Amino acid sequence: MSAAPNILILATGGTIAGTAGSALKRDYRPGQIGIESFIGQAGALGVAANLTGREIAAMGSEDITPEIWRALHDACDAAMDDSQVDAIIITHGTDTAEETALLLDLTLPTNKPIVLVGAMRPADAVGTDGIRNFLNAVRVASDADAAGRGVMMVMSDRIISARDARKAKTTGTDAFKGFPRDSIGTVTPSSLDWFGEPWAKGRAARFDFPAAFPHVPICHAYAGMQRDAVDCLLREETHGLVLAGFGEGNAPRVIFDRLAELAAKGVVVVRASRVDEGLVDRLPMDDEHGFVAARGLGPAKARILLQVLLANGISEMSEVQAAFDTR
Ligand code: DAS
């Protein structure tokens, strides 16, 4: 990487680009500020990187679509082969950032750093976290040791691996947590510490980006649920389902009976948990019924991984389990 790295910024909107128009207003609109504003602010603060912006979308990430995911993926993929680009930053809303991050992590190589960054406060809020998070992302993307760690998220002075990251609070600038690894480094605009060596240096894309995203519903567990809680989610083309179960991926017997019927018909059933944190490990019932244990992935990310696997023609239980076991 040259002394002043060339960083491509792919903007998608979110709160980081949001404005309220008044610091005293409760609501705000995401995706209002162009990426050039951040690039200008970074330049005025003396950041030693050549930043080039490109707008992929200007939206709240709750509205993200497979088409936008594809545009992001293709832009990153092209940048991986472009000798004029050293690293990529994606500005993104925080609501679905963990899903986008994991999807890109699974479908892109690791030869250049890719950093997702967002904010919990709009750009014109008192004490906005956007510009600090952005400068932190530039710091990470500029670092010679950043490649080979897969896609990363930078929020509240922490670097979290895509596989580990999740939004764990509705508000507050420290909304993101990592599990099983809390964070893989810390960063401020003036400092950077990695907790360990890159573990995925030179890794090729593990899976093809889905030509189409298969229908994979999430069945959220609740006390007293009945079979129809599963059945109302199914379509003819449903070949995968994620259970957001109680505790360690648990559910009422009537639900497991229904899921076992589906698994016997070839639907890939992944047991995850509605609980915020913790592993869902394999149990004897998984062997009995052909279920998959989501391990460290929560329901939303388990769904992304299952969609990628199904789209890549992987549906055999042990192969799917291996993908959930592999970091
Ligand atoms: N508006 C939401 C989003 O775009 C929240 C955010 O960005 O933090 O995901």
Side-chain angles (χ1 to χ4, degrees):
M1 204 178 275
S2 59
N6 299 320
I7 302 177
L8 174 66
I9 320 285
L10 301 173
T12 67
T15 298
I16 190 167
T19 53
S22 157
L24 303 180
K25 264 178 77 183
R26 174 80 180 82
D27 59 342
Y28 65 94
R29 294 176 62 197
Q32 298 300 298
I33 293 190
I35 193 60
E36 295 306 326
S37 160
F38 282 89
I39 292 174
Q41 288 181 72
L45 289 164
V47 167
N50 304 313
L51 307 178
T52 308
R54 182 169 152 203
E55 190 175 276
I56 300 286
M59 65 193 315
S61 74
E62 59 275 15
D63 291 322
I64 201 118
T65 61
E67 291 69 36
I68 294 171
W69 276 335
R70 176 178 300 284
L72 266 180
H73 172 273
D74 291 354
C76 291
D77 208 26
M80 289 288 171
D81 295 331
D82 183 346
S83 60
Q84 299 303 307
V85 178
D86 295 310
I88 302 154
I89 293 174
I90 299 171
T91 58
H92 201 290
T94 58
D95 286 345
T96 60
E98 66 204 75
E99 285 154 89
T100 300
L102 180 64
L103 175 64
L104 297 178
D105 186 67
L106 293 167
T107 55
L108 287 166
T110 63
N111 54 312
K112 292 177 186 176
I114 301 178
V115 182
L116 254 83
V117 64
M120 293 298 290
R121 295 176 181 156
D124 58 354
V126 176
T128 181
D129 50 335
I131 187 64
R132 184 179 179 96
N133 289 344
F134 183 76
L135 294 183
N136 286 347
V138 172
R139 178 92 192 188
V140 170
S142 303
D143 192 75
D145 229 8
R149 300 173 192 268
V151 175
M152 297 167 274
M153 278 206 66
V154 166
M155 290 291 289
S156 61
D157 293 358
R158 292 159 68 231
I159 311 163
I160 309 177
S161 155
R163 186 91 185 194
D164 302 325
R166 72 189 188 287
K167 191 172 184 178
K169 289 187 182 178
T170 55
T171 59
T173 54
D174 61 342
F176 276 77
K177 280 194 190 176
F179 179 82
R181 289 175 300 182
D182 174 66
S183 44
I184 58 170
T186 56
V187 61
T188 72
S190 58
S191 66
L192 171 58
D193 282 291
W194 295 111
F195 304 154
E197 298 300 312
W199 65 92
K201 257 188 171 162
R203 189 175 71 193
R206 283 171 289 177
F207 302 102
D208 289 339
F209 189 86
F213 282 76
H215 181 249
V216 173
I218 297 175
C219 178
H220 193 98
Y222 52 88
M225 69 196 297
Q226 297 294 323
R227 276 173 80 99
D228 65 336
V230 176
D231 289 341
C232 70
L233 301 170
L234 301 175
R235 292 186 197 159
E236 207 159 312
E237 73 272 20
T238 306
H239 294 300
L241 180 143
V242 174
L243 171 71
F246 307 121
E248 256 190 283
N250 204 0
R253 175 172 295 276
V254 67
I255 298 299
F256 277 141
D257 288 348
R258 181 66 182 121
L259 295 179
E261 284 171 21
L262 293 174
K265 285 185 192 156
V267 176
V268 182
V269 175
V270 176
R271 287 190 310 109
S273 177
R274 69 178 196 175
V275 173
D276 180 48
E277 187 170 297
L279 290 176
V280 174
D281 274 328
R282 281 192 75 77
L283 295 172
M285 82 158 128
D286 296 320
D287 293 329
E288 194 185 323
H289 300 310
F291 296 159
V292 172
R295 308 273 287 157
L297 293 184
K301 288 199 293 182
R303 175 176 177 271
I304 292 284
L305 175 54
L306 183 54
Q307 285 181 304
V308 169
L309 294 172
L310 292 174
N312 278 266
I314 299 167
S315 60
E316 202 274 313
M317 190 269 281
S318 61
E319 273 187 85
V320 176
Q321 185 64 65
F324 275 85
D325 291 344
T326 308
R327 291 205 54 79

